[in-house]
Amino acid sequence: DAGVTQTPRHEVAEKGQTIILKCEPVSGHNDLFWYRQTKIQGLELLSYFRSKSLMEDGGAFKDRFKAEMLNSSFSTLKIQPTEPKDSAVYLCASSSGGALEQYFGPGTRLTVL
Amino acid sequence: AQSVTQPDARVTVSEGASLQLRCKYSYFGTPYLFWYVQYPRQGLQLLLKYYPGDPVVQGVNGFEAEFSKSNSSFHLRKASVHWSDWAVYFCAVSMGSNYQLIWGSGTKLIIKP
């Protein structure tokens, strides 16, 4: 089985741009998570979907971050507009219903200039 | 509130020596506990998991962890580290299948030749 796929692996954006990150979960998994990872803050949950329904929208990230599950096998994370402080690694993870362990993609490294 | 503490931001061990990475959790119930590893420029990978039962759990690559309810701990151990174990290790806890993972801040393991 293919694991979690994330594209692109690297993204460079100018301040104020809109960027869209993509994620394909493990086939058959119905829980999907978006995380932001930085050295200072560690892992921060941005969004959590269960069976395509948004369960958690990450509180502090609501205003410029929007995650969507277009279907059960594809999700996007839009950041609009980007700011330099958004520079981080964005990780997508999935898990099957009832299971707790999450399977992670390789991440997208975002640099905002 | 639930929390996970990894008190050591960085641990340095000689190749071939034994290893213990510490994890303390705060939760008034039956926790489900996990250790993940993150190699450079990659996503997180599950090393091992604890579901209520035998307190010592075996993972991949010779890792094991021991759950202690009295100490609220879930320390990770390895008898003999290899240079390829150089990575960041994360501890996580969950209350159950309808709850998310709560993450520790990570411990960077450095291997001395």
Side-chain angles (χ1 to χ4, degrees):
Chain A
D1 276 342
V4 177
T5 305
Q6 288 189 250
T7 55
R9 292 295 308 274
H10 302 273
E11 179 80 62
V12 179
E14 298 280 342
K15 178 183 173 182
Q17 265 187 275
T18 295
I19 62 104
I20 296 177
L21 309 182
K22 304 179 182 75
C23 173
E24 295 177 43
V26 174
S27 178
H29 281 188
N30 52 16
D31 286 3
L32 186 137
F33 305 83
W34 283 100
Y35 292 92
R36 183 170 78 174
Q37 185 180 30
T38 61
K39 282 188 167 46
I40 305 293
Q41 300 292 337
L43 279 163
E44 300 172 282
L45 181 68
L46 300 175
S47 293
Y48 162 39
F49 293 88
R50 171 161 285 184
S51 300
K52 300 192 292 180
S53 296
L54 182 64
M55 307 296 287
E56 172 73 46
D57 64 4
F61 297 97
K62 283 166 74 167
D63 57 344
R64 296 182 299 108
F65 291 72
K66 183 173 183 181
E68 291 184 303
M69 279 213 75
L70 306 181
N71 55 55
S72 60
S73 58
F74 185 69
S75 177
T76 58
L77 175 66
K78 180 193 287 188
I79 308 176
Q80 177 183 35
T82 52
E83 297 182 6
K85 65 181 179 181
D86 300 331
S87 297
V89 174
Y90 290 82
L91 293 165
C92 178
S94 69
S95 67
S96 61
L100 299 176
E101 58 263 37
Q102 296 175 17
Y103 294 84
F104 283 79
T108 296
R109 182 172 295 274
L110 173 65
T111 303
V112 182
L113 305 174
Chain B
Q2 292 179 96
S3 66
V4 177
T5 302
Q6 293 181 249
D8 305 307
R10 178 184 282 232
V11 169
T12 302
V13 177
S14 297
E15 190 170 17
S18 64
L19 167 72
Q20 177 172 278
L21 300 182
R22 296 184 292 163
C23 174
K24 300 271 286 184
Y25 66 89
S26 172
Y27 171 58
F28 297 103
T30 303
Y32 299 80
L33 295 152
F34 304 83
W35 277 100
Y36 282 79
V37 60
Q38 185 175 33
Y39 299 105
R41 306 284 179 178
Q42 294 185 30
L44 281 72
Q45 301 172 33
L46 181 67
L47 263 184
L48 48 78
K49 62 188 179 189
Y50 168 79
Y51 284 16
D54 190 335
V56 178
V57 291
Q58 305 295 324
V60 297
N61 298 334
F63 284 95
E64 68 173 29
E66 183 167 3
F67 166 68
S68 170
K69 189 177 173 97
S70 60
N71 293 323
S72 297
S73 67
F74 188 56
H75 300 330
L76 182 70
R77 304 189 295 237
K78 186 170 184 178
S80 175
V81 298
H82 186 263
W83 67 267
S84 60
D85 295 324
W86 188 316
V88 180
Y89 293 78
F90 292 91
C91 182
V93 66
S94 174
M95 290 192 288
S97 61
N98 292 318
Y99 300 91
Q100 299 152 35
L101 292 178
I102 306 298
W103 295 91
S105 54
T107 297
K108 184 171 188 176
L109 176 62
I110 298 167
I111 309 296
K112 288 193 300 186

